[in-house]
Amino acid sequence: MNAPQTSDHLSQADGATSLRYQSGFANQFETEAVPGALPKGRNSPQRAPMDLYPELLSGSAFTAPRVENRRTWLYRRQPSVVTSPFRPFEAPLWTTGAAGGVSVPPDPLRWHPFPLPQGAESWDFVEGIRTVVANGDPDAQTGMAALVYLCNRSMQQRALMNADGEMLIVPQQGGLRLVTEMGLLDVIPGEIALMPRGVTFRVELHEAQARGYICENYGAPFRLPELGPIGSNGLANPRDFLAPVAAHEPQQAYEVIRKIGGELWHNQQAVTPFNVVAWHGNLTPVKYDTANFMTIGSISFDHPDPSIFTVLTSPSDTPGTANCDFVIFPPRWLVQEDTFRPPWYHRNVMSEFMGLIYGQYDAKPEGFRPGGASLHNSHVPHGPDTEAFNAASTRTLTPQKLDHTLAFMFESRWRFRPTRYAMQGGALDTQYAACWAGLQDQFKG
Ligand SMILES: O=C(O)Cc1cc(O)ccc1O
Ligand SMILES: [Fe+2]
């Protein structure tokens, strides 16, 4: 439990200010921008302090088991019901679920870096979202989409609320300030942010342009994986997740965009959604710096399964078979003896979408570039390219630091469908399969 903290008024925060946070994953936090704004000893007093309106935001069913139960009490200047009617908002490239995709070829797929806005194009975070691959269905609360965002403009007096899924934001280029109902988060490449389903937020750019990836998770919320024989420490440690402190801004008009059932809607309302003066609870956006990930690997021989790199997992109803695992490939030492150290050639029942934040990925030294992506769907063969195979099968096996690199994977039990944008938008690497063409039959039998 964190002590109440005060925060700067939203309007006083600027890009140069370093923000204050509260630490922990799904802790019971409490925070007030104005001392005394949080009710004491009850959630909904007859009149809340300072005549704020209590509002409950649930992230789980009321009766979900205690370990899964997520909710936050917001104390706001006006409740979220003070709004205005919504009309359709055109976002044809932000498609949803398997239904928004095209045919699934049985080939491995790879994309060159997705292009940022060019020339006169001016896209904010919402306008710059493109679905690359997706599975499942938000109405069934299963599956996920891998999106990219490509933007060169901050959202101004415009906010987004996504009822279809939580959003795991993985910046690749350019820092972001996330202005949320619960307060502010700054994230830069190497860090990630997790925005719970239903939280209203807007995105400001630290620099002229920003690109990154998003896992739009329609299924069970992400949580830390069990550690099993690893024990009580390791991988992503709870204290390295940082939640915002309460902050609110002066009254002003807003356009609010809501995504629900795969469709986007917007309105014009006279009131800001960023009017929460205090809150307490365990449903909150968080950020996490992947540099804090305690990486585990083999110190004897063989290449372990990448599940040792799981940062967060969204379980499905089959134990051990995730709706989505968020896995990173961070800087680390390779020390295995008599071992082919990069990933093995494999065909996986799970489906693998990968992206690269910076550097090189050891299985694909060329062709898989920061800001690009790859898709190896269920049972589609893949593994190191010819160059990586030749280097790793002949090198002297001294301890080796894989440095200056950060790749990640969204791994799902559900097969992904690529979108029309992915297949025809110009970024598809039509020569991908050639990277394995040099693997000769070298059998010496
Ligand atoms: O295919 C990939 O590059 C991801 C991956 C990495 C690894 O170390 C083992 C299996 C796996 O799918
Ligand atoms: Fe793989």
Side-chain angles (χ1 to χ4, degrees), residues 223-285:
R223 75 272 327 256
L224 292 163
E226 297 298 339
L227 290 177
I230 293 172
S232 57
N233 301 288
L235 309 190
N237 287 304
R239 74 180 175 120
D240 294 320
F241 288 80
L242 300 177
V245 294
H248 62 115
E249 67 181 12
Q251 189 61 279
Q252 56 199 286
Y254 257 84
E255 175 191 13
V256 174
I257 299 172
R258 290 185 179 169
K259 181 169 189 279
I260 183 162
E263 284 165 3
L264 283 92
W265 303 77
H266 70 151
N267 77 351
Q268 278 295 334
Q269 60 181 53
V271 305
T272 173
F274 305 111
N275 62 6
V276 175
V277 181
W279 59 268
H280 80 87
N282 62 355
L283 181 74
T284 170

Side-chain angles (χ1 to χ4, degrees), residues 75-99:
Y75 298 91
R76 54 198 321 156
R77 302 199 314 256
Q78 284 166 291
S80 303
V81 288
V82 182
T83 178
S84 66
F86 285 79
R87 322 178 290 286
F89 177 84
E90 292 302 319
L93 299 181
W94 187 356
T95 63
T96 301

Side-chain angles (χ1 to χ4, degrees), residues 287-304:
K287 71 168 203 160
Y288 174 74
D289 185 348
T290 63
N292 291 321
F293 189 80
M294 192 273 248
T295 314
I296 279 175
S298 169
I299 51 169
S300 55
F301 58 86
D302 274 355
H303 177 99

Side-chain angles (χ1 to χ4, degrees), residues 243-441:
V245 294
H248 62 115
E249 67 181 12
Q251 189 61 279
Q252 56 199 286
Y254 257 84
E255 175 191 13
V256 174
I257 299 172
R258 290 185 179 169
K259 181 169 189 279
I260 183 162
E263 284 165 3
L264 283 92
W265 303 77
H266 70 151
N267 77 351
Q268 278 295 334
Q269 60 181 53
V271 305
T272 173
F274 305 111
N275 62 6
V276 175
V277 181
W279 59 268
H280 80 87
N282 62 355
L283 181 74
T284 170
V286 285
K287 71 168 203 160
Y288 174 74
D289 185 348
T290 63
N292 291 321
F293 189 80
M294 192 273 248
T295 314
I296 279 175
S298 169
I299 51 169
S300 55
F301 58 86
D302 274 355
H303 177 99
D305 296 344
S307 40
I308 53 171
F309 301 140
T310 304
V311 181
L312 293 166
T313 184
S314 158
S316 76
D317 49 14
T318 306
T321 308
N323 178 65
C324 182
D325 280 335
F326 173 61
V327 174
I328 57 170
F329 300 91
R332 62 198 183 277
W333 282 92
L334 299 181
V335 299
Q336 307 100 301
E337 295 180 303
D338 185 21
T339 294
F340 180 80
R341 289 175 173 174
W344 2 256
Y345 295 101
H346 58 291
R347 293 177 293 160
N348 189 352
V349 67
M350 303 284 279
S351 292
E352 306 177 14
F353 175 90
M354 291 190 67
L356 186 61
I357 309 303
Y358 59 87
Q360 281 184 331
Y361 181 59
D362 61 337
K364 303 280 163 40
E366 295 296 329
F368 179 46
R369 288 190 282 147
S374 68
L375 176 67
H376 304 121
N377 251 327
S378 180
H379 292 293
V380 171
H382 61 285
D385 64 18
T386 309
E387 183 188 348
F389 176 83
N390 289 339
S393 44
T394 53
R395 67 173 296 137
T396 308
L397 294 182
T398 50
Q400 174 196 2
K401 181 89 188 269
L402 283 184
D403 217 348
H404 313 295
T405 180
L406 182 63
F408 72 90
M409 176 160 67
F410 300 146
E411 177 166 339
S412 176
R413 69 174 298 182
W414 319 110
R415 182 176 304 110
F416 290 106
R417 279 185 182 274
T419 58
R420 195 172 308 286
Y421 168 77
M423 300 307 284
Q424 291 165 22
L428 187 69
D429 175 359
T430 54
Q431 303 304 309
Y432 180 26
C435 79
W436 294 290
L439 296 170
Q440 304 295 329
D441 183 345

Side-chain angles (χ1 to χ4, degrees), residues 114 146-149 168-172 211-215 353-357 368-373 408 410:
F114 294 97
L147 321 174
V148 289
Y149 63 87
L168 173 65
I169 300 171
V170 184
Q172 185 271 320
R211 175 169 59 196
Y213 308 85
I214 300 170
C215 174
F353 175 90
M354 291 190 67
L356 186 61
I357 309 303
F368 179 46
R369 288 190 282 147
F408 72 90
F410 300 146

